[in-house]
Amino acid sequence: MARNSVISVLKVQITDTSQLGAVEMMESFIKQEPDKVHNIFIVNAHTLNLATDNPEYRDVLNSASVVFADGTGVRWAARLRGKILQSNLVGTDLIPNFFNATSNCGYRYYLLGADPDTIKYAAEYTSKQFPGWTLAGFHHGYIKDDETIEVIEEINSLQPHLLLVGMGNPLQEYWLYKNQHRLKAPVCVGVGGLFDHWGGNLKRASLWVRQLGFEWLQILLQQPGKKWRRYIIGNPKFIVRMVLSRD
């Protein structure tokens, strides 16, 4: 069993574990507590900026069963607090690793998020890429308030073991938090822009770019109008906060 610990970064309680440890933890939720809903949130510098600006959102993040760290900014912040994180648990690596490590176990998954075309292409991609799992269903993320119950009833009727929600921060975390008592899926993960990668809207950066900690730059170059504020303004803001904050 992998070694896990918790570190506070900008008052968000982040679990430090390896890729293997995260996969083991996620499967343990399915095996040991199948009737309980476990929300898993993955935070990066942008998420922590939002949480610092909005304490209510920070509380939502801290309500999760576990919060994982994604990206160079969080690793730097942890290091300033005397902790070297074991792994970068970005969803684009963690979720495929989870699928591959637990294939052929009879598990089902449901995809919720993105626009109608993107989620359709993402569903086709995952069906081919992860044959050891069963795609229970999918739905786009533009859900009106009066449609929420109907969508949740569909998800519950299909009995997925894993629900991936990609609506972006902070919407996806709020959606999972508010509907946790209605959902019947043991593992629910907020996955941010993962469906954009699976649906063909984003191209993953080369491994050497990721290892240098510049994957965010690849995303910025592909979606400048959508991401400039997050990275051009948000990254310097996060650096100042992680240096000045004592938590």
Side-chain angles (χ1 to χ4, degrees), residues 106-139:
Y107 295 148
R108 298 178 299 279
Y109 65 100
Y110 191 102
L111 308 180
L112 177 65
D115 61 64
D117 286 339
T118 298
I119 200 64
K120 175 176 176 291
Y121 293 135
E124 292 174 356
Y125 172 85
T126 56
S127 295
K128 296 175 183 176
Q129 196 71 17
F130 310 114
W133 277 68
T134 299
L135 173 64
F138 62 90
H139 195 286

Side-chain angles (χ1 to χ4, degrees), residues 33-50:
E33 296 179 306
D35 297 326
K36 179 180 177 182
V37 177
H38 301 81
N39 283 340
I40 298 176
F41 299 145
I42 303 172
V43 299
N44 54 25
H46 171 63
T47 321
L48 294 174
N49 272 334
L50 294 176

Side-chain angles (χ1 to χ4, degrees), residues 64-134:
S65 296
V66 62
V67 177
F68 291 137
D70 160 21
T72 302
V74 185
R75 292 204 303 276
W76 286 356
R79 187 183 291 265
L80 282 176
R81 289 153 179 78
K83 185 73 175 182
I84 298 177
L85 298 181
Q86 298 178 54
S87 291
N88 176 17
L89 297 175
V90 57
T92 41
D93 290 328
L94 175 61
I95 302 304
N97 286 341
F98 182 60
F99 275 125
N100 291 328
T102 56
S103 63
N104 300 314
C105 292
Y107 295 148
R108 298 178 299 279
Y109 65 100
Y110 191 102
L111 308 180
L112 177 65
D115 61 64
D117 286 339
T118 298
I119 200 64
K120 175 176 176 291
Y121 293 135
E124 292 174 356
Y125 172 85
T126 56
S127 295
K128 296 175 183 176
Q129 196 71 17
F130 310 114
W133 277 68
T134 299

